[in-house]
Amino acid sequence: YMRLRLELLRCFAGSKAVNLTLCLVGTVSPCAFRPSQDPCASALVPLLRGHRSCSGSSSVLSLNKLRSITGISKLCNLKKLILSKNEIVDFPNEIQSLVCLEKLELNQNQIRVIPEGVFSHLPRLKHLRLNNNRLSALPRDLAACQGSLQYLNISNNLFRTFPQPVLQLAQLQELHVQNNALRQLPRELFQGQSLKMFKANGNPLREPPSEVCAGGIQQIRNYFNQLQHGLEQEDKRVKTMFLGTSLAGKSTICRSLKQGQTKLVPREERTVGIEISEFQIKDFTFLFWDFAGQLEYYMTHHVFITPQALVILVINLHM
């Protein structure tokens, strides 16, 4: 049934009814076609009845569990192609024939690899959504869209390193890379002025740190500028947190480390609330956070636990 629908779409390659915009997303609706204007359209009307309505010249085909799509190569005037929320595994190679394409959405599928040679045929592409797939790399020829692509979403994929072709997209204004496995972002990404919106939360970032990225593009640029001009001093402070039940020995370990020898802390001197102190080893400063272990303080501990902090869990095996 789905293949029949797609085969019928071939009839519209030269049709005035769908001469510039035909969207394949969501549902299918007869509102996009006028049988009186094109005899081919009458063949689709029976298939379209009963679907939700849509606006303008869009007909939508997502949420249909499509695993592949064929027969779109003759739609040479197509500007928008949206195949989101299906089960597509192999990237449709026929897309390279859609030389007028400006908007492409293949998000929420199961695509693992995009072959080379597709994007080099899409010189007008402005909007590309590939989020929620299983991608770990992008093809090199994505750089062929450097004069047109303005929006790119590759969030919720499997990227461990930042895809280098993105750095050549000189007109890129909005970039989403959330919820991947990125640890480092390239400085070159933020050297131009075209990028206006950037989202990277949900990655284990270390450079720049997640706290810097949360501050926005300008803060990221300031971070890299400081590194480049040597104005940033290396931070050699380590936040060290001691957690455990009451009388587990947290304060004993803290004092013993600071004094270089075993120093037992009497029961009457146990911590109430939080005690913060410093411990120096060569050029490094350890900020000791000694948390009280009483039950009434447990609910506040999560407020002070921060990313990249060293957490030491103390357990008294004799209790």
Side-chain angles (χ1 to χ4, degrees):
Y1 180 66
M2 291 303 304
R3 286 188 176 276
L4 176 60
R5 284 196 240 182
L6 294 172
E7 288 298 322
L8 284 171
L9 287 175
R10 293 183 181 180
C11 299
F12 291 87
S15 170
K16 293 181 180 180
V18 287
N19 61 342
L20 288 178
T21 55
L22 171 64
C23 295
L24 302 178
V25 175
T27 56
V28 183
S29 171
C31 68
F33 306 97
R34 294 189 176 92
S36 60
Q37 296 179 4
D38 194 314
C40 295
S42 60
L44 273 181
V45 171
L47 295 175
L48 301 176
R49 298 189 188 279
H51 288 278
R52 297 194 301 270
S53 63
C54 61
S55 60
S57 59
S58 299
S59 61
V60 287
L61 276 177
S62 70
L63 294 169
N64 282 302
K65 297 185 178 180
L66 284 172
R67 294 189 177 181
S68 62
I69 178 170
T70 58
I72 61 172
S73 59
K74 294 183 179 180
L75 301 175
C76 55
N77 292 322
L78 203 63
K79 283 191 173 184
K80 299 179 183 179
L81 176 60
I82 306 176
L83 289 165
S84 56
K85 299 180 182 179
N86 280 291
E87 297 179 0
I88 298 173
V89 176
D90 297 322
F91 191 91
N93 277 322
E94 289 189 46
I95 289 177
Q96 65 182 311
S97 301
L98 309 178
V99 294
C100 294
L101 202 63
E102 295 181 359
K103 183 175 184 177
L104 175 60
E105 295 192 355
L106 280 159
N107 53 294
Q108 292 168 274
N109 282 284
Q110 301 177 29
I111 300 171
R112 294 178 180 272
V113 177
I114 301 177
E116 294 284 348
V118 174
F119 292 110
S120 58
H121 293 86
L122 305 178
R124 302 182 184 181
L125 191 64
K126 298 179 181 179
H127 179 107
L128 178 59
R129 288 193 66 177
L130 297 169
N131 53 290
N132 295 85
N133 279 285
R134 300 179 181 179
L135 296 169
S136 59
L138 293 178
R140 293 187 300 273
D141 71 329
L142 179 63
C145 301
Q146 59 182 331
S148 59
L149 197 62
Q150 300 174 8
Y151 175 96
L152 176 61
N153 191 331
I154 55 172
S155 61
N156 294 284
N157 275 286
L158 304 174
F159 290 95
R160 292 184 174 274
T161 59
F162 191 86
Q164 293 301 304
V166 177
L167 299 179
Q168 300 183 49
L169 301 175
Q171 302 302 316
L172 194 62
Q173 297 180 14
E174 186 170 341
L175 175 61
H176 296 260
V177 297
Q178 306 98 301
N179 301 312
N180 280 283
L182 299 174
R183 293 182 175 272
Q184 187 174 18
L185 298 176
R187 176 184 303 169
E188 296 82 359
L189 179 64
F190 306 97
Q191 288 181 339
Q193 297 299 317
S194 64
L195 196 63
K196 306 299 181 185
M197 179 177 291
F198 175 73
K199 299 291 184 181
N201 52 290
N203 286 283
L205 287 170
R206 296 192 174 182
E207 185 178 342
S210 298
E211 295 84 354
V212 173
C213 293
I217 294 176
Q218 190 56 52
Q219 190 164 335
I220 296 174
R221 286 181 177 139
N222 292 341
Y223 171 86
F224 281 120
N225 287 337
Q226 289 176 349
L227 285 181
Q228 186 174 2
H229 294 93
L231 298 178
E232 181 182 69
Q233 295 181 353
E234 185 177 5
D235 191 356
K236 295 185 177 181
R237 296 177 300 170
V238 181
K239 183 178 181 180
T240 308
M241 309 176 68
F242 294 85
L243 300 177
T245 59
S246 180
L247 301 176
K250 301 181 295 298
S251 299
T252 294
I253 293 178
C254 285
R255 294 191 186 183
S256 298
L257 286 172
K258 287 188 289 186
Q259 297 184 17
Q261 59 183 354
T262 302
K263 182 66 176 179
L264 294 175
V265 177
R267 176 187 291 263
E268 58 272 15
E269 295 183 18
R270 62 181 180 175
T271 304
V272 176
I274 304 174
E275 289 186 5
I276 302 176
S277 58
E278 292 187 3
F279 174 52
Q280 194 84 21
I281 299 181
K282 295 184 178 180
D283 295 334
F284 289 89
T285 300
F286 290 83
L287 302 177
F288 284 173
W289 291 55
D290 182 8
F291 288 81
Q294 292 88 343
L295 289 175
E296 56 266 31
Y297 295 110
Y298 274 15
M299 61 183 301
T300 65
H301 289 177
H302 72 280
V303 177
F304 301 96
I305 298 177
T306 55
Q308 302 184 22
L310 173 61
V311 179
I312 298 177
L313 179 61
V314 181
I315 301 174
N316 188 342
L317 298 177
H318 298 289
M319 293 181 62

